[in-house]
Amino acid sequence: MTTTAVTHIASLVTNDPSLGNGTPLGLILDAAVVIEGDRVVWTGESSKAPATDSAVDASGRAVIPGFVDSHSHLIFAGDRTQEFNARMSGRAYSAGGIRTTVAATRAATDEQLAANVARYLAEALRQGTTTFETKSGYGLTVEDEARALRIAARHTEEVTYLGAHIVSPDYADDPAGYVDLVTGPMLDACAPYARWIDVFCEKGAFDGDQARAILTAGKAKGLQPRVHAGKLSYGPGVQLAVELDAASADHCTHLTDADVDALAAGNTVATLLPGAEFSTRAPWPDARRLLDAGVTVALSTDCNPGSSFTSSVPFCVALAVRDMGMTPDEALWAATAGGAAALRREDVGRLAPGARADLVLLDAPSHVHLAYRPGVPLVAGVWRAGEQAVPLG
Ligand code: NIG
Ligand code: FE
């Protein structure tokens, strides 16, 4: 296997506290990374790098691990420009808008859905995302949910069954019947394509008892839980997530002290999705409160056509630093190692020997520029699993 060194990296984020300056970011200055096949095999000071078959000179720019976007909803058709426009003119966000996308998604061909996901993934990759999770949830029939997951599974191993996004309009008068469908025939059809099961635990979607039944049924079929919790209001979702050992409770915008304590004591990551608060003009989640309590925090896009139509993790990092009380170091960690923790992955989100070689070269001397220079396309090159996925600029 050939070896490649990326040398003269002004600052390298490894996310390995045993490397570099001893902080959680494991920052090494004037660093190099050596890639062999799809793996990182060496990191350290550039002057000490071993001989390799080829070398790329980073010329004093920064390298970070590829972003791990652990929460997106990319299997959909249509957009909701009018709804966004109305919201920015004063109308409130409501989960009911999801029905608009359900109608468009059901009407789309497989090819249209596949082209859509490929387009948003290419967009995300250009902005440094090398691992992503995505969900169903805009089909809400057995066939439409299963095809969404089938299409998603061609692009990522992190596929989530979200038949419990809202009660299907076809079951408007029979929510219990819809829960039976989601935990019965729909689960049977979807489980082969998914690793995760998710539920939107919220007023107007699914209550605590329904969410528990849905996640428990998924676990019995070998799916691991994650939960949309505390997005629009306080609710039982966070406590349920911790109780069921969900990998992540997502949104966490409305949290009681007991929710924060439960997250701090359990193994469930709090995934914050500031694109949703930005696009719905909602109050920001309080990252500082969670971090100070010792909770593991992830930052992701929630990319979806309704509440957060951004594929940009750098944008979310900038929001988290400006408005959610995170330092630039904490936000970078949350968008890389935090996302990996939310997917219970050890191979991504860090750049230490043995990790997958997912590197993002920034057109900047340090990762702090992601928040310092908001909105600027700073990604100058991406390697995914050792392959040059975005050519060096
Ligand atoms: O995570 N909360 C539910 N689902 C999405 C919104 C989906 C939509 O509005 O289409 C979310 O924000
Ligand atoms: Fe979501």
Side-chain angles (χ1 to χ4, degrees), residues 71 73 135 165 228 251 273 302 304:
H71 184 138
H73 305 243
K135 306 174 201 303
H165 198 182
H228 279 71
H251 289 285
L273 307 161
D302 195 16
N304 76 77

Side-chain angles (χ1 to χ4, degrees), residues 223-307:
L223 303 182
Q224 298 178 65
R226 41 203 320 110
V227 186
H228 279 71
K231 179 189 179 189
L232 303 174
S233 59
Y234 295 96
V238 170
Q239 305 269 355
L240 184 64
V242 175
E243 181 196 319
L244 296 180
D245 191 33
S248 177
D250 297 53
H251 289 285
C252 290
T253 306
H254 299 273
L255 296 178
T256 63
D257 288 343
D259 291 340
V260 175
D261 291 346
L263 286 165
N267 286 321
T268 300
V269 172
T271 299
L272 307 183
L273 307 161
E277 280 74 31
F278 178 90
S279 301
T280 59
R281 283 205 184 126
W284 303 106
D286 188 348
R288 190 75 264 142
R289 179 184 179 205
L290 289 162
L291 290 165
D292 288 348
V295 176
T296 302
V297 171
L299 261 180
S300 289
T301 63
D302 195 16
C303 187
N304 76 77
S307 63

